[in-house]
Amino acid sequence: MDIKLIALDMDGTTLQKDYMSISERTRIVLEKAIAKGIHVVPSTGRILGQLPKSVMSIPGINYAVTSNGAAVTNLNTNEVISSNYLGSGSVKKIMKTLTRRNLFCEVYYQGQSYGERRYFDMIGDRNELSEDLIAFIRSNAIAVDNVLDFTMENAAEIEKINIPLLSDKNLRVLWQKFSQIHGVTLTKAIANNIEVNHRLANKGSGLKQLCQILKLEPRNVMAIGDSDNDLRMLEFAGLSVAMGNASEEIKAIANHVTLPFYEDGVAHAIEKYVLV
């Protein structure tokens, strides 16, 4: 296949278990792909400001699909070239529900993640969280005194609302409740969290918009991912690859399955299917 763009999920796919670094092998392989004129595009549920330096520092990475496709950014100009914001009505319904239940959320707005200050003060007490995850959350989100007030002030341009660390009961109740809101879509990248986006925002739609700008066809795209929020991206790509650590649903719809992320599955797949 004539692959001209490689779309890469980040967590559980390209990044190592510290949520920030990539292996030396992966870096070298990505640099080789870029040297061949292939676009390497981070395609992630993360907000732009959460993309790690280990990836962003690679010369030639010019575009990113972030917040599950709610924003596509030209990294050279910092211009958002495509967007699908949640919408004020949906945002207000979601935030009022979360506030009534006293649940933490991360609000994605203009390339940054925002959360309530009191949550960051208490997160270190969560014994089930790894030190790496706690460090990542604390270093990659901006604390505000009142997340409801902040979100209401900026409701028209919210990219995504992420609701992590839910109990099984809250997950079931909120998934059912938010599924009834017209115009939103729900997905998740890890267990016990809910990611709420505009119904047209997904990694597949973000890649489609970018490919139209770059004048590429789906057959020119290779996508690699591991989670539910990668589903549309893998369906869009002409060559889809699931990680060895991916869910069974993701493996079932992918063209190929590579090694797990902790065995450099991304590098292995690119070497096998592109750098040949």
Side-chain angles (χ1 to χ4, degrees):
M1 299 183 70
D2 185 18
I3 300 300
K4 296 181 179 178
L5 188 153
I6 300 173
L8 297 176
D9 173 52
M10 293 286 102
D11 299 288
T13 299
T14 306
L15 301 178
Q16 299 194 36
K17 65 179 181 179
D18 62 1
Y19 302 95
M20 291 183 283
S21 64
I22 61 174
S23 70
E24 183 63 19
R25 179 186 175 190
T26 297
R27 171 177 283 275
I28 290 171
V29 167
L30 295 183
E31 289 174 344
K32 286 182 178 179
I34 291 169
K36 287 188 64 174
I38 297 169
H39 295 282
V40 172
V41 180
S43 301
T44 177
R46 294 188 183 201
I47 195 79
L48 184 64
Q50 291 181 342
L51 289 178
K53 185 178 180 181
S54 61
V55 174
M56 299 295 278
S57 64
I58 298 175
I61 293 185
N62 299 318
Y63 301 94
V65 175
T66 56
S67 298
N68 288 335
V72 180
T73 304
N74 181 325
L75 300 175
N76 297 315
T77 64
N78 288 321
E79 176 191 4
V80 177
I81 55 180
S82 175
S83 63
N84 271 311
Y85 300 131
L86 256 172
S88 299
S90 298
V91 167
K92 291 175 182 177
K93 291 177 183 177
I94 293 161
M95 292 304 299
K96 287 180 179 178
T97 297
L98 296 177
T99 301
R100 282 197 301 268
R101 294 175 177 269
N102 198 31
L103 292 172
F104 169 73
C105 69
E106 294 175 297
V107 176
Y108 289 11
Y109 169 72
Q110 291 192 346
Q112 297 292 336
S113 172
Y114 296 83
E116 197 149 287
R117 193 177 311 279
R118 64 188 175 94
Y119 170 78
F120 298 108
D121 292 338
M122 61 178 264
I123 192 172
D125 297 330
R126 298 290 295 264
N127 294 328
E128 74 273 25
L129 305 181
S130 68
E131 291 184 6
D132 286 331
L133 181 55
I134 292 171
F136 170 76
I137 293 173
R138 282 178 165 168
S139 65
N140 287 278
I142 299 171
V144 296
D145 291 330
N146 189 305
V147 72
L148 177 62
D149 290 347
F150 173 84
T151 307
M152 292 301 95
E153 291 171 5
N154 302 290
E157 295 183 41
I158 301 301
E159 296 178 20
K160 186 179 86 168
I161 297 175
N162 184 50
I163 313 155
L165 310 175
L166 291 166
S167 67
D168 291 341
K169 179 181 178 181
N170 278 333
L171 178 67
R172 290 193 301 271
V173 170
L174 292 179
W175 196 284
Q176 181 180 21
K177 187 175 185 65
F178 293 160
S179 294
Q180 297 172 3
I181 299 175
H182 178 72
V184 307
T185 186
L186 309 181
T187 188
K188 58 186 175 71
I190 58 175
N192 293 93
N193 92 306
I194 300 175
E195 301 176 25
V196 189
N197 282 99
H198 185 278
R199 66 179 180 84
L200 297 179
N202 59 71
K203 294 183 185 183
S205 65
L207 279 177
K208 181 178 180 179
Q209 294 300 316
L210 179 57
C211 285
Q212 289 176 350
I213 292 169
L214 298 176
K215 295 180 170 50
L216 300 179
E217 301 292 331
R219 62 183 176 82
N220 302 129
V221 177
M222 175 188 194
I224 311 177
D226 74 304
S227 298
D228 291 356
N229 67 343
D230 297 314
L231 180 63
R232 300 304 179 196
M233 172 175 80
L234 296 173
E235 288 176 338
F236 172 78
L239 178 58
S240 57
V241 181
M243 299 299 292
N245 53 279
S247 65
E248 292 306 313
E249 179 185 13
I250 295 302
K251 289 179 180 178
I253 65 98
N255 300 130
H256 304 283
V257 177
T258 186
L259 299 173
F261 76 92
Y262 45 82
E263 295 181 18
D264 290 339
V266 164
H268 178 79
I270 295 173
E271 288 173 336
K272 184 173 183 179
Y273 302 116
V274 180
L275 300 180
V276 290

PDB file of all heavy atoms in Angstrom, residues 4 210-217 220:
ATOM      1  N   LYS A   4       1.048   7.229   3.142  1.00  0.00           N
ATOM      2  CA  LYS A   4       1.602   8.575   3.189  1.00  0.00           C
ATOM      3  C   LYS A   4       1.315   9.285   4.512  1.00  0.00           C
ATOM      4  O   LYS A   4       1.791  10.398   4.733  1.00  0.00           O
ATOM      5  CB  LYS A   4       1.038   9.403   2.029  1.00  0.00           C
ATOM      6  CG  LYS A   4       1.449   8.860   0.661  1.00  0.00           C
ATOM      7  CD  LYS A   4       0.895   9.713  -0.465  1.00  0.00           C
ATOM      8  CE  LYS A   4       1.344   9.165  -1.826  1.00  0.00           C
ATOM      9  NZ  LYS A   4       0.775   9.962  -2.965  1.00  0.00           N
ATOM     10  N   LEU A 210      -8.261  16.025   8.012  1.00  0.00           N
ATOM     11  CA  LEU A 210      -6.848  16.277   7.708  1.00  0.00           C
ATOM     12  C   LEU A 210      -6.479  15.723   6.341  1.00  0.00           C
ATOM     13  O   LEU A 210      -5.759  16.376   5.563  1.00  0.00           O
ATOM     14  CB  LEU A 210      -5.967  15.652   8.790  1.00  0.00           C
ATOM     15  CG  LEU A 210      -4.452  15.820   8.599  1.00  0.00           C
ATOM     16  CD1 LEU A 210      -4.062  17.287   8.497  1.00  0.00           C
ATOM     17  CD2 LEU A 210      -3.698  15.130   9.736  1.00  0.00           C
ATOM     18  N   CYS A 211      -6.963  14.543   6.010  1.00  0.00           N
ATOM     19  CA  CYS A 211      -6.654  13.952   4.705  1.00  0.00           C
ATOM     20  C   CYS A 211      -7.217  14.785   3.562  1.00  0.00           C
ATOM     21  O   CYS A 211      -6.585  14.893   2.491  1.00  0.00           O
ATOM     22  CB  CYS A 211      -7.192  12.525   4.633  1.00  0.00           C
ATOM     23  SG  CYS A 211      -6.216  11.329   5.566  1.00  0.00           S
ATOM     24  N   GLN A 212      -8.376  15.391   3.766  1.00  0.00           N
ATOM     25  CA  GLN A 212      -8.927  16.274   2.735  1.00  0.00           C
ATOM     26  C   GLN A 212      -8.018  17.472   2.506  1.00  0.00           C
ATOM     27  O   GLN A 212      -7.796  17.885   1.359  1.00  0.00           O
ATOM     28  CB  GLN A 212     -10.330  16.719   3.133  1.00  0.00           C
ATOM     29  CG  GLN A 212     -11.369  15.614   3.049  1.00  0.00           C
ATOM     30  CD  GLN A 212     -12.736  16.038   3.540  1.00  0.00           C
ATOM     31  OE1 GLN A 212     -12.909  17.107   4.120  1.00  0.00           O
ATOM     32  NE2 GLN A 212     -13.742  15.197   3.311  1.00  0.00           N
ATOM     33  N   ILE A 213      -7.473  18.007   3.577  1.00  0.00           N
ATOM     34  CA  ILE A 213      -6.558  19.143   3.463  1.00  0.00           C
ATOM     35  C   ILE A 213      -5.265  18.729   2.762  1.00  0.00           C
ATOM     36  O   ILE A 213      -4.733  19.463   1.918  1.00  0.00           O
ATOM     37  CB  ILE A 213      -6.249  19.721   4.860  1.00  0.00           C
ATOM     38  CG1 ILE A 213      -7.512  20.367   5.451  1.00  0.00           C
ATOM     39  CG2 ILE A 213      -5.106  20.730   4.814  1.00  0.00           C
ATOM     40  CD1 ILE A 213      -7.402  20.722   6.908  1.00  0.00           C
ATOM     41  N   LEU A 214      -4.775  17.537   3.091  1.00  0.00           N
ATOM     42  CA  LEU A 214      -3.519  17.047   2.513  1.00  0.00           C
ATOM     43  C   LEU A 214      -3.706  16.334   1.181  1.00  0.00           C
ATOM     44  O   LEU A 214      -2.734  15.888   0.572  1.00  0.00           O
ATOM     45  CB  LEU A 214      -2.837  16.098   3.497  1.00  0.00           C
ATOM     46  CG  LEU A 214      -2.421  16.704   4.849  1.00  0.00           C
ATOM     47  CD1 LEU A 214      -1.858  15.626   5.753  1.00  0.00           C
ATOM     48  CD2 LEU A 214      -1.415  17.826   4.652  1.00  0.00           C
ATOM     49  N   LYS A 215      -4.989  16.233   0.746  1.00  0.00           N
ATOM     50  CA  LYS A 215      -5.322  15.553  -0.510  1.00  0.00           C
ATOM     51  C   LYS A 215      -4.859  14.096  -0.507  1.00  0.00           C
ATOM     52  O   LYS A 215      -4.256  13.591  -1.463  1.00  0.00           O
ATOM     53  CB  LYS A 215      -4.748  16.319  -1.710  1.00  0.00           C
ATOM     54  CG  LYS A 215      -5.374  17.694  -1.887  1.00  0.00           C
ATOM     55  CD  LYS A 215      -4.798  18.431  -3.079  1.00  0.00           C
ATOM     56  CE  LYS A 215      -5.581  19.687  -3.405  1.00  0.00           C
ATOM     57  NZ  LYS A 215      -5.822  20.583  -2.255  1.00  0.00           N
ATOM     58  N   LEU A 216      -5.190  13.403   0.581  1.00  0.00           N
ATOM     59  CA  LEU A 216      -4.884  11.984   0.715  1.00  0.00           C
ATOM     60  C   LEU A 216      -6.175  11.186   0.796  1.00  0.00           C
ATOM     61  O   LEU A 216      -7.211  11.700   1.212  1.00  0.00           O
ATOM     62  CB  LEU A 216      -4.053  11.730   1.977  1.00  0.00           C
ATOM     63  CG  LEU A 216      -2.701  12.424   2.066  1.00  0.00           C
ATOM     64  CD1 LEU A 216      -2.024  12.080   3.388  1.00  0.00           C
ATOM     65  CD2 LEU A 216      -1.795  12.036   0.891  1.00  0.00           C
ATOM     66  N   GLU A 217      -6.102   9.924   0.402  1.00  0.00           N
ATOM     67  CA  GLU A 217      -7.227   9.002   0.476  1.00  0.00           C
ATOM     68  C   GLU A 217      -7.057   8.069   1.680  1.00  0.00           C
ATOM     69  O   GLU A 217      -5.935   7.895   2.174  1.00  0.00           O
ATOM     70  CB  GLU A 217      -7.310   8.173  -0.807  1.00  0.00           C
ATOM     71  CG  GLU A 217      -7.485   8.993  -2.077  1.00  0.00           C
ATOM     72  CD  GLU A 217      -8.843   9.677  -2.140  1.00  0.00           C
ATOM     73  OE1 GLU A 217      -9.804   9.129  -1.548  1.00  0.00           O
ATOM     74  OE2 GLU A 217      -8.936  10.742  -2.774  1.00  0.00           O
ATOM     75  N   ASN A 220      -4.226   5.705   1.773  1.00  0.00           N
ATOM     76  CA  ASN A 220      -2.892   6.234   2.063  1.00  0.00           C
ATOM     77  C   ASN A 220      -2.594   6.308   3.555  1.00  0.00           C
ATOM     78  O   ASN A 220      -1.525   6.770   3.952  1.00  0.00           O
ATOM     79  CB  ASN A 220      -2.731   7.640   1.484  1.00  0.00           C
ATOM     80  CG  ASN A 220      -2.944   7.720  -0.008  1.00  0.00           C
ATOM     81  OD1 ASN A 220      -3.701   8.547  -0.494  1.00  0.00           O
ATOM     82  ND2 ASN A 220      -2.278   6.847  -0.755  1.00  0.00           N
TER      83      ASN A 220
END
